[in-house]
Amino acid sequence: MKSAVETLNPTRVRLSIEVPFEELKDSLDAAYKKINQQVTVKGFRKGKIPARVIDQRFGRGAVLEEAVNDALPKFYTEAVNEAEIDVLGQPEVDITELKDGETLNFTAEVDVRPAIEIPDYSGIEVEVDAVEVTDEDIEKSVEQLRERFASTSPVERAAEDGDVVTIDLEAKVDGEVLEDGVASGVSYTIGSGELLEGIDDAVKGLEAGGEATFTSELKGGSAAGKEAEVTVKVTQVAARELPALDDEFAQLASEFDTLDELKADSRKRLENMKQYDQATQAQERVLEKLLELVEVPVPEKLLEDEINTRKHNLEHHQLGQMGLDLEKYLEIQGKTAEEFDTETKDAAVKGIKTQFVLDELVKREKLNVNQEELTEHLMRRAASSGMSPDQFAQAVVEGGQVPLLVGEVARGKALAVVVEAATVKDTNGEVIDLDDDEDETAETVQAASEETPAEDKAEDTAEDKTEA
């Protein structure tokens, strides 16, 4: 076999492959054997029909077609390996010449990973938010905890903001009560915004036994997105009572003995959260700067597939679970279809560039992923998917997606290398020394990529196993 490579553009090549006919012998034998098992000829046992009879009865062309279809993948793979090119996706194959007994010539056009030059990134500088926890932050945190331990007691008065009311609901569309539009004994805190728009104004001022009707757009159910006439009846009004902020509350709501200890712990937790946010912000901004430094050609077919995958996942997974379609989603977001298409394309381009650049860094820095790193990342991904580590691991292994997880961790390590070399300052001008968690950077990379087709396949595999 002979092969040659022609570069069509930075992301696409054409392989020209010439195969001497004798190298098709194994595929020709396999073709005759396959046809033998599929046809019957009077006077011959099945599977024992001579090749000359098959040629006479069914045509030499049918045999050649079967043999070529069998041989093409093998010769294409050999040519790819010989040329040492990193192909993306499936090739477009064209048989240019097939002479029985002489030669098989064909071409294969395919997208390839572009050659990328990574410049010196040690001069990258970014600014991030300073880690500052105020007394107001502490008070807000403790107040939220206090809200969780509030008690309620029925009162004989009109409902007010903050009260917990027990209500019955009935929704009508075009004068007809919806089958799924009736609910009884619903507990609702006035002002929480957890139910329908307009319900707060409707129930405020009502006592137990009071009733009101209002119009609201339904958020879910069979008539999601439609205007409905909703009747609400209050069956009970209860006032919320917050516990006193003292040492007794600290003992009730935590493992601490005093309120001061509880507040000190709240400060520490908030500082840790803000440090985590600061690290994530630094990683995101360093990645943005890195992508600005590198020229990355994007294969058109890969970009098209990525855009289609993102749209499919949004429409059939995310929006489907919320009972929305794309049109309604865009209306809620206040976006036009053109704006949505532009944003989707921009995100797809960024995701592809992120993978290309970080994969090149992985090779250049000779970064490897050990079993401990892979296991830790797998456990985090399992937690985010709502599956147990064992379930997620089984789904990934059975779906053949382990290399994809390895790639995520490796890219996270590559980004960690760049972050370590960069200068990160907070808004106060202080240089930040980040203790890089490589699995955390893997999450940043994943978010930046927003699930490229390969990663998304791993997610889909895991979801399929869960549903099964």
Side-chain angles (χ1 to χ4, degrees):
M1 183 197 79
K2 296 179 182 178
S3 65
V5 181
E6 176 188 357
T7 300
L8 302 177
N9 61 50
T11 64
R12 195 166 179 84
V13 299
R14 179 188 293 121
L15 291 163
S16 297
I17 302 164
E18 181 180 336
V19 183
F21 207 79
E22 57 266 23
E23 294 186 30
L24 289 173
K25 183 179 183 307
D26 289 344
S27 294
L28 279 168
D29 291 344
Y32 279 116
K33 184 176 181 180
K34 182 176 180 180
I35 295 173
N36 240 307
Q37 299 299 323
Q38 294 175 338
V39 301
T40 57
V41 176
K42 189 175 180 180
F44 296 95
R45 286 183 294 162
K46 193 163 189 177
K48 301 294 183 179
I49 308 170
R52 59 179 176 75
V53 175
I54 290 178
D55 289 346
Q56 291 169 356
R57 290 293 187 93
F58 306 101
R60 175 71 167 175
V63 179
L64 289 175
E65 181 180 357
E66 182 66 39
V68 169
N69 288 339
D70 175 74
L72 282 178
K74 181 185 72 169
F75 292 120
Y76 165 73
T77 301
E78 288 181 9
V80 166
N81 293 336
E82 185 178 285
E84 297 182 341
I85 54 178
D86 192 350
V87 299
L88 300 168
Q90 296 300 314
E92 294 180 5
V93 175
D94 180 28
I95 298 174
T96 55
E97 185 176 31
L98 175 58
K99 290 184 178 180
D100 193 358
E102 295 184 29
T103 186
L104 163 67
N105 295 336
F106 69 96
T107 62
E109 286 192 19
V110 65
D111 286 335
V112 294
R113 188 178 289 261
I116 297 174
E117 291 293 329
I118 306 292
D120 179 19
Y121 49 77
S122 61
I124 290 178
E125 294 187 12
V126 297
E127 185 180 74
V128 295
D129 295 335
V131 173
E132 297 175 344
V133 178
T134 66
D135 290 341
E136 288 76 13
D137 293 331
I138 304 301
E139 294 302 325
K140 182 179 179 181
S141 175
V142 173
E143 190 63 26
Q144 289 174 342
L145 184 61
R146 189 182 177 206
E147 290 277 349
R148 289 170 50 192
F149 284 86
S151 59
T152 59
S153 56
V155 293
E156 295 183 1
R157 59 166 174 77
E160 302 173 354
D161 271 326
D163 285 343
V164 179
V165 291
T166 304
I167 55 178
D168 297 336
L169 294 165
E170 181 184 84
K172 294 181 180 179
V173 173
D174 298 329
E176 296 291 332
V177 178
L178 300 172
E179 288 186 11
D180 55 355
V182 179
S184 300
V186 177
S187 181
Y188 174 67
T189 301
I190 299 176
S192 66
E194 295 174 351
L195 281 179
L196 298 168
E197 185 176 345
I199 194 169
D200 289 337
D201 292 336
V203 297
K204 278 192 293 187
L206 296 181
E207 298 183 17
E211 189 176 297
T213 300
F214 63 101
T215 300
S216 183
E217 183 179 302
L218 299 178
K219 296 180 179 179
S222 61
K226 294 185 178 180
E227 288 287 326
E229 183 183 84
V230 183
T231 299
V232 55
K233 181 178 180 181
V234 176
T235 59
Q236 179 181 277
V237 178
R240 299 176 74 251
E241 298 176 3
L242 298 175
L245 281 177
D246 52 24
D247 292 346
E248 186 176 339
F249 167 69
Q251 295 164 19
L252 170 69
S254 70
E255 70 271 28
F256 302 106
D257 294 325
T258 68
L259 184 61
D260 287 343
E261 290 175 332
L262 173 61
K263 288 184 176 181
D265 180 70
S266 295
R267 181 179 293 277
K268 183 177 180 180
R269 284 189 298 102
L270 289 172
E271 285 176 348
N272 289 340
M273 289 172 58
K274 291 198 174 188
Q275 285 172 350
Y276 179 89
D277 291 342
Q278 184 188 66
T280 301
Q281 190 179 66
Q283 292 155 11
E284 292 171 347
R285 293 183 179 179
V286 167
L287 178 59
E288 292 281 355
K289 290 282 188 179
L290 177 63
L291 294 180
E292 290 174 6
L293 291 176
V294 186
E295 185 68 31
V296 185
V298 177
E300 291 183 10
K301 183 64 168 60
L302 181 64
L303 177 59
E304 180 184 343
D305 290 344
E306 169 70 346
I307 291 172
N308 290 336
T309 297
R310 289 169 184 266
K311 289 182 177 180
H312 175 84
N313 287 341
L314 177 65
E315 291 189 62
H316 298 279
H317 293 291
Q318 297 165 265
L319 297 184
Q321 292 174 355
M322 295 186 289
L324 298 174
D325 58 19
L326 182 58
E327 183 179 353
K328 187 61 183 177
Y329 167 76
L330 293 179
E331 181 183 329
I332 293 172
Q333 294 292 314
K335 297 177 183 176
T336 65
E338 290 74 17
E339 289 171 334
F340 170 73
D341 287 342
T342 298
E343 289 180 5
T344 302
K345 181 179 179 180
D346 290 344
V349 169
K350 180 182 178 183
I352 294 170
K353 285 185 175 181
T354 296
Q355 284 204 14
F356 283 175
V357 170
L358 295 182
D359 284 346
E360 184 63 29
L361 270 170
V362 169
K363 287 196 297 184
R364 194 174 91 168
E365 301 293 340
K366 296 180 172 60
L367 301 175
N368 296 309
V369 177
N370 60 42
Q371 186 61 47
E372 182 180 352
E373 292 167 335
L374 179 60
T375 300
E376 188 175 334
H377 182 62
L378 185 147
M379 292 181 69
R380 292 199 188 193
R381 287 290 300 274
S384 67
S385 71
M387 302 172 67
S388 72
D390 287 345
Q391 286 177 318
F392 189 82
Q394 181 181 356
V396 168
V397 171
E398 291 181 2
Q401 308 305 316
V402 173
L404 302 178
L405 290 188
V406 172
E408 290 175 5
V409 179
R411 286 189 286 273
K413 296 180 74 168
L415 178 56
V417 169
V418 182
V419 172
E420 186 178 354
T423 299
V424 181
K425 294 182 180 180
D426 67 16
T427 49
N428 295 327
E430 298 290 329
V431 175
I432 306 300
D433 183 15
L434 295 171
D435 180 17
D436 290 317
D437 181 337
E438 288 166 354
D439 203 68
E440 182 184 313
T441 52
E443 292 180 353
T444 300
V445 172
Q446 185 185 341
S449 299
E450 292 185 359
E451 295 184 0
T452 58
E455 291 172 336
D456 195 59
K457 186 178 178 184
E459 288 288 353
D460 286 344
T461 300
E463 288 177 8
D464 291 343
K465 295 294 180 183
T466 307
E467 292 170 0

